[in-house]
Amino acid sequence: MLKWVAMAGALCLQAGALHAQNADSKAAPTEAIEILEIGFGKAGLSGAGGDRLKGALADAQFVALGEDHGFAGAPELGQALAAEARAFGPLYHAVEVGPATMQWIRSRLGAGGPDALGDALAGRPLAFPFLSNREDAGLAHDFDHGERVWGIDQEFVGAPMILMDELAALAPDAASKDRLHAIRDADMASLANGAFDNIWMNRADPAQISMLKQAFAGSLPALAIVEALAASAHIYRLNSEGAYLQNNEQRSALMRGYFLERYRAAPEPAPRVLFKMGAYHMGRGTTPTSIYDLGSLLPGLAAANGLTSVHIAYLPMDGMVRVIKPADGKATAVQPYEDEGVGAILAAAEISPERIGPAGHYLIPIAPLRHRLAGKKMKALPAFARFVLLGFDYLVTTRDATAATAFETTGE
């Protein structure tokens, strides 16, 4: 019997190979590539593209908005998606911020909104990513002043600038407070000069973490912060050692664990969540970093509840972007954006980039593009462009992107 199974398997493989050989030689069924104008703001979605997305939200338990960081448009699109999705019930928001840092952010948003958060960040703009931009903070604030926002990522490299203050407030003695403040001050000085190798998160070893745990033995709030810092320091240490695959695997596992913890604690049986994270985290399938990330978990989890996940990539073709670039007393800078995926996809599909107007935003349903480029054209694409085609349902793009507004530039 095993012989027959082996022969049948060989025939199947041969047939599959012949089919793959001939796939590119046959004309694929023609599907129209739609490029639809879309508008968005706090009130919701508009235009033909907005109508298309509205139809996709009705059955969506998860809306996974993946971005290239540093644009105003992605969180603004997130606000519009949230406004539309709330018509179907309560909604949560998951972000690339550590849970301990998110507690700190939540208290500032609750006290005075984005302005209060910006004031608290003065002098330490790299304490956490993305919510240090006004548009992203505004999106988080829309979720009950941050109360319905889940921080599900590692604590950022700059997090000790605020978390050491949180620990100092819980410290058992003056000497412990002084040590924690010294770590904070050293990190502020290093980050101001772009000396990332010198900051605590990149230098903390198991012995230092153990000392912190001993200092706060019996204090559950303090130990929760220490544990979050320890997990993050381990991930950063893998990166500094050149163990990049393990670094990404560990980070993804941490994000998945934090997410599922919040998901299971929600009062709703199938809580609905708007994610806004880097595109690598939000697409389905193997990412360009060679792992399965959070986006691959969402379709099955939603399907188990009779619902769907909708995956949207916000990727401009041109415009301006804000990047982390410490210099002249500032942590970030605005520079022209270099397209890493959209142009390659349109070129491979023989679509004129002029179909994307010089201003405004456009929605492109991805399935027809994916089908048109199946086979050799797909394999020839850059890894990121291929990931977008296979991992997302919709692409929102523009040739006139606006950079995010960092709190450190407010009032200039």
Side-chain angles (χ1 to χ4, degrees):
M1 182 175 178
L2 289 174
K3 180 179 178 181
W4 284 105
V5 170
M7 289 178 64
L11 288 171
C12 287
L13 287 171
Q14 186 178 25
L18 288 172
H19 177 75
Q21 264 186 341
N22 295 328
D24 286 317
S25 64
K26 295 180 180 179
T30 301
E31 286 183 88
I33 306 297
E34 297 178 288
I35 299 180
L36 308 171
E37 292 188 38
I38 182 171
F40 45 83
K42 290 193 71 169
L45 300 162
S46 60
D51 291 340
R52 184 64 58 85
L53 278 186
K54 288 179 189 179
L57 294 177
D59 295 324
Q61 182 180 0
F62 304 119
V63 181
L65 177 55
E67 64 174 355
D68 202 351
H69 297 303
F71 296 106
E76 290 168 350
L77 174 58
Q79 285 187 309
L81 290 166
E84 302 291 352
R86 287 192 184 99
F88 306 104
L91 188 68
Y92 296 90
H93 180 33
V95 295
E96 277 182 87
V97 172
T101 297
M102 192 62 227
Q103 275 195 309
W104 185 92
I105 294 169
R106 194 177 290 118
S107 67
R108 273 71 188 173
L109 289 176
D115 287 339
L117 180 61
D119 291 344
L121 267 177
R124 40 192 176 185
L126 291 179
F128 48 84
F130 319 130
L131 292 187
S132 56
N133 292 325
R134 178 168 289 276
E135 295 83 3
D136 298 82
L139 172 58
H141 188 242
D142 287 347
F143 285 79
D144 295 338
H145 312 297
E147 286 299 319
R148 298 177 70 86
V149 179
W150 299 349
I152 62 169
D153 199 2
Q154 62 192 4
E155 304 297 337
F156 193 52
V157 287
M161 288 191 292
I162 59 174
L163 295 182
M164 292 303 165
D165 278 345
E166 298 295 285
L167 287 174
L170 301 168
D173 52 60
S176 296
K177 287 186 180 183
D178 289 343
R179 284 194 295 271
L180 294 165
H181 287 151
I183 293 171
R184 176 202 63 193
D185 294 343
D187 270 14
M188 290 176 73
S190 294
L191 286 169
N193 297 317
F196 288 91
D197 290 343
N198 293 336
I199 61 177
W200 185 85
M201 195 74 88
N202 282 330
R203 295 183 292 102
D205 57 30
Q208 291 173 295
I209 299 296
S210 179
M211 287 177 61
L212 276 178
K213 289 181 180 180
Q214 291 173 17
F216 289 102
S219 173
L220 293 180
L223 287 175
I225 296 173
V226 174
E227 289 289 355
L229 286 169
S232 303
H234 174 65
I235 291 169
Y236 280 114
R237 191 159 59 250
L238 289 171
N239 184 73
S240 65
E241 293 169 355
Y244 304 121
L245 180 60
Q246 296 94 316
N247 162 270
N248 285 299
E249 288 174 339
Q250 289 291 314
R251 185 183 176 195
S252 178
L254 186 75
M255 293 175 77
R256 183 172 62 248
Y258 282 150
F259 165 65
L260 290 174
E261 180 181 340
R262 297 306 303 269
Y263 180 86
R264 290 166 179 147
E268 300 85 359
R272 298 167 64 254
V273 186
L274 168 69
F275 297 80
K276 189 194 73 67
M277 298 183 173
Y280 280 22
H281 304 301
M282 294 287 91
R284 301 175 296 260
T286 306
T287 74
T289 57
S290 303
I291 64 167
Y292 288 109
D293 217 318
L294 195 57
S296 292
L297 171 68
L298 304 180
L301 192 56
N305 296 312
L307 297 168
T308 64
S309 61
V310 178
H311 301 251
I312 305 163
Y314 182 90
L315 299 170
M317 296 179 67
D318 206 347
M320 305 301 289
V321 64
R322 183 170 296 279
V323 298
I324 294 176
K325 193 174 184 179
D328 302 323
K330 296 293 184 184
T332 66
V334 172
Q335 64 186 37
Y337 179 64
E338 296 182 12
D339 174 24
E340 296 183 2
V342 179
I345 291 171
L346 296 183
E350 299 180 354
I351 296 172
S352 169
E354 301 305 316
R355 288 186 64 184
I356 308 297
H361 285 88
Y362 293 82
L363 176 83
I364 307 176
I366 289 180
L369 275 172
R370 181 163 59 239
H371 300 156
R372 181 176 292 191
L373 296 177
K376 292 179 181 177
K377 288 183 177 180
M378 180 80 74
K379 293 177 182 177
L381 284 171
F384 180 59
R386 188 164 58 248
F387 174 65
V388 170
L389 276 180
L390 295 173
F392 288 88
D393 304 305
Y394 298 95
L395 169 65
V396 175
T397 192
T398 179
R399 294 169 64 190
D400 187 30
T402 302
T405 308
F407 281 119
E408 68 172 349
T409 66
T410 300
E412 287 187 353

